[in-house]
Amino acid sequence: MKNEENWKEKLTPLQYQVTREKGTERPFTGEYYEHKEQGTYLCVCCGEALFSSNAKYDSGSGWPSYYEPVRKEAVATESDQSHGMVRTEIHCQNCGAHLGHVFPDGPKPTGLRYCVNSASLKFQKE
């Protein structure tokens, strides 16, 4: 695992703030919000495969949204009680990078909405 100085050297300030400090980017501004290419979205920190473009959909939330990860084990969850709300945080199982949150208001087949910060992702074309 990298230490904080290594992460600061590897990541942009926004990527660091989102992935290492559990921040968020402004809605409708992320690089992958309206991204339509086919491929796989990877963790910007460690390169772990997280989401497929096949599971991506427009939730209208302002952030890239997916109804499932590429593998259930790729994304871990924990309770987030910050900002006076109770939510489920999602992070990369491999390196712990904060990705966003998951909500129970997504489409079939899972009914889930993985709401992800573009700053926590990089894209690999098919």
Side-chain angles (χ1 to χ4, degrees):
M1 298 306 287
K2 295 180 182 284
N3 65 36
E4 293 312 301
E5 286 307 311
N6 294 133
W7 287 125
K8 285 180 181 178
E9 290 173 10
K10 175 184 168 85
L11 304 169
T12 68
L14 179 61
Q15 289 170 333
Y16 181 84
Q17 192 253 342
V18 167
T19 62
R20 308 322 302 175
E21 297 178 330
K22 298 185 178 188
T24 191
E25 63 200 8
R26 289 188 343 238
F28 306 101
T29 64
E31 177 180 4
Y32 299 119
Y33 172 61
E34 295 184 308
H35 190 250
K36 305 285 188 210
E37 290 183 88
Q38 291 297 303
T40 304
Y41 294 88
L42 313 173
C43 176
V44 73
C45 293
C46 71
E48 182 77 14
L50 299 172
F51 299 97
S52 168
S53 59
N54 294 331
K56 189 173 191 286
Y57 71 100
D58 183 3
S59 68
S61 67
W63 290 274
S65 297
Y66 309 85
Y67 59 79
E68 67 185 353
V70 292
R71 296 180 346 276
K72 185 178 179 181
E73 304 80 32
V75 176
T77 62
E78 66 182 65
S79 179
D80 174 2
Q81 298 181 21
S82 64
H83 307 291
M85 298 178 273
V86 178
R87 301 177 290 174
T88 303
E89 177 194 347
I90 55 173
H91 56 270
C92 175
Q93 179 66 36
N94 189 53
C95 73
H98 173 76
L99 304 172
H101 293 85
V102 62
F103 301 95
D105 61 0
K108 291 181 180 183
T110 65
L112 298 174
R113 173 173 52 102
Y114 288 83
C115 189
V116 182
N117 290 284
S118 289
S120 67
L121 302 172
K122 61 184 175 180
F123 183 73
Q124 181 178 4
K125 281 186 180 183
E126 245 181 29

